[in-house]
């Protein structure tokens, strides 16, 4: 792997499903996931997110009735729970690809309730038992505020959290992440979003779980010291940003980051948070 990445923190598995006229089979998927796993060094983490499409990202072979609020409708894990055969096929493909190469992890997108997680995990586990393979870590995306608020209950049952700050920000601020006018305000450094991340980290660590950030702010140089200060354990970074983020982290002091994060949590606005972390001119 080039650019210094030490694994894959978020594999958006949608790419296997898009641009087709029918769903990829279990074998199609297993082949793709295995190729990716083999491209990593043995033992490096590979976190595959199960299919995250929905009303806003339609698939021709997956008809979803038009919805008034697609971002609040059938998307993410809700599709897999409604049509479990899709989640079952994908679970088997992931588990088959987990039998060598990278250290496979799976996570479910758009989890909102503990029942969502339990049902998805049950399907995954049933397929694992049928295949007769060893367990792999099963985590969830923290991208709906309800999960961060009730993080303690989730952390007791999941193996890890991965904070999807793109959606967590849009759902916390009730602002469409792609809205042309609102976009400048949809800032993951809003203290409300940072507060939710802090809650997730605290609960996860209490239960001995790790927390990653896989949304866009993981690649934002102003966010990196704050995420380190909040105790985030892993960053999933866009490929071009990896060298700069690694270089930045090497220069940071944990104590200073923690102090900064404390201040950010008490700030009144995203602009105030950004003012705490001047952009490095070098
Ligand atoms: C997120 O919501 O932050 C995330 C990583 O998922 P996506 O951007 O694919 O919705
Ligand atoms: Mg998301």
């Amino acid at each position: 792997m080039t650019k210094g990445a030490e694994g894959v923190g978020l594999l958006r598995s949608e790419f296997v499903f898009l641009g087709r006229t029918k769903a990829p089979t279990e074998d199609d998927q297993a082949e793709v996931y295995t190729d990716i796993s083999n491209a990593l060094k043995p033992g490096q983490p590979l976190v595959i997110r199960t299919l995250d499409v929905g009303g806003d990202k339609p698939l021709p072979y997956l008809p979803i009735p038009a919805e008034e609020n697609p971002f609040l409708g059938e998307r993410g894990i809700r599709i897999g729970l409604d049509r479990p055969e899709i989640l079952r096929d994908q679970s088997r493909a992931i588990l088959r690809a987990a039998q060598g190469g990278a250290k496979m992890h799976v996570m479910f997108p758009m989890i909102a309730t503990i029942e969502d997680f339990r049902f998805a995990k049950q399907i995954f586990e049933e397929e694992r038992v049928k295949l007769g393979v060893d367990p792999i870590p099963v985590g969830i995306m923290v991208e709906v505020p309800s999960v961060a608020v009730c993080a303690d209950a989730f952390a007791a049952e999941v193996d890890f959290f991965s904070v999807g700050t793109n959606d967590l920000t849009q759902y916390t601020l009730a602002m469409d992440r792609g809205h042309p006018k609102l976009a400048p305000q949809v800032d993951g450094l809003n203290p409300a979003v940072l507060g939710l991340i802090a809650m997730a980290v605290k609960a996860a660590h209490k239960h001995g779980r790790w927390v990653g950030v896989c949304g866009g702010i993981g690649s934002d140089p102003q966010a990196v010291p704050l995420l380190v200060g909040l105790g985030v354990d892993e960053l999933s970074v866009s490929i071009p940003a990896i060298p700069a983020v690694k270089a930045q982290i090497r220069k940071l002091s944990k104590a200073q980051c923690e102090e900064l994060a404390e201040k950010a949590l008490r700030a009144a606005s995203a602009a105030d948070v950004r003012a705490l972390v001047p952009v490095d001119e070098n």
Side-chain angles (χ1 to χ4, degrees):
M1 203 179 305
T2 59
K3 306 248 185 219
E6 292 165 40
V8 173
L10 167 65
L11 185 82
R12 289 180 164 98
S13 63
E14 298 80 80
F15 79 92
V16 191
F17 291 77
L18 296 168
R20 291 171 177 262
T21 49
K22 57 185 178 49
T25 62
E26 176 190 329
D27 285 349
D28 293 335
Q29 293 185 62
E31 195 182 320
V32 175
Y33 305 148
T34 302
D35 284 350
I36 295 169
S37 169
N38 288 338
L40 303 191
K41 293 203 185 103
Q44 283 188 328
L46 167 56
V47 183
I48 300 190
R49 175 177 77 185
T50 61
L51 182 64
D52 186 12
V53 291
D56 64 317
K57 285 187 247 170
L59 290 177
Y61 50 87
L62 193 78
I64 296 170
E67 296 177 310
E68 262 188 49
N69 295 300
F71 277 121
L72 303 181
E74 274 198 271
R75 60 172 304 220
I77 196 64
R78 296 170 191 173
I79 304 274
L81 300 182
D82 185 54
R83 300 161 210 223
E85 62 291 350
I86 296 177
L87 184 55
R88 285 190 189 280
D89 283 353
Q90 189 169 29
S91 298
R92 284 194 303 275
I94 293 169
L95 284 160
R96 282 169 52 189
Q99 303 312 304
K103 169 115 181 77
M104 189 72 82
H105 297 60
V106 66
M107 67 178 173
F108 306 122
M110 283 294 296
I111 294 287
T113 67
I114 198 80
E115 290 87 357
D116 288 344
F117 172 69
R118 287 181 184 155
F119 190 14
K121 167 104 194 252
Q122 184 190 330
I123 289 173
F124 191 80
E125 188 59 11
E126 283 170 6
E127 295 310 317
R128 182 187 74 75
V129 170
K130 277 192 235 160
L131 282 174
V133 296
D134 289 339
I136 64 170
V138 179
I140 57 172
M141 303 268 300
V142 178
E143 50 187 354
V144 180
S146 57
V147 174
V149 172
C150 296
D152 199 55
F154 284 92
E157 300 191 24
V158 306
D159 293 318
F160 64 94
F161 284 153
S162 186
V163 185
T165 52
N166 307 331
D167 278 314
L168 186 62
T169 306
Q170 92 162 336
Y171 293 126
T172 302
L173 300 177
M175 291 182 192
D176 183 337
R177 62 193 255 187
H179 193 292
K181 269 197 191 161
L182 300 176
Q185 296 172 68
V186 187
D187 189 341
L189 291 198
N190 187 292
V193 179
L194 296 178
L196 292 171
I197 299 174
M199 290 167 84
V201 170
K202 196 166 162 225
H205 289 178
K206 183 177 142 200
H207 290 271
R209 318 297 190 205
W210 61 268
V211 183
V213 164
C214 65
I217 67 170
S219 311
D220 177 341
Q222 284 185 292
V224 168
L226 295 169
L227 298 174
V228 170
L230 290 172
V232 166
D233 305 289
E234 178 249 27
L235 292 180
S236 177
V237 171
S238 69
I239 294 166
I242 296 169
V245 169
K246 288 186 79 165
Q248 184 185 11
I249 289 177
R250 287 201 189 98
K251 287 193 252 162
L252 295 173
S253 121
K254 185 90 199 296
Q256 279 170 4
C257 290
E258 284 170 355
E259 207 177 300
L260 203 58
E262 277 300 316
K263 284 190 191 147
L265 290 172
R266 290 196 303 271
S269 68
D272 288 355
V273 172
R274 288 197 177 272
L276 291 170
V277 195
V279 188
D280 190 353
E281 301 293 331
N282 305 312

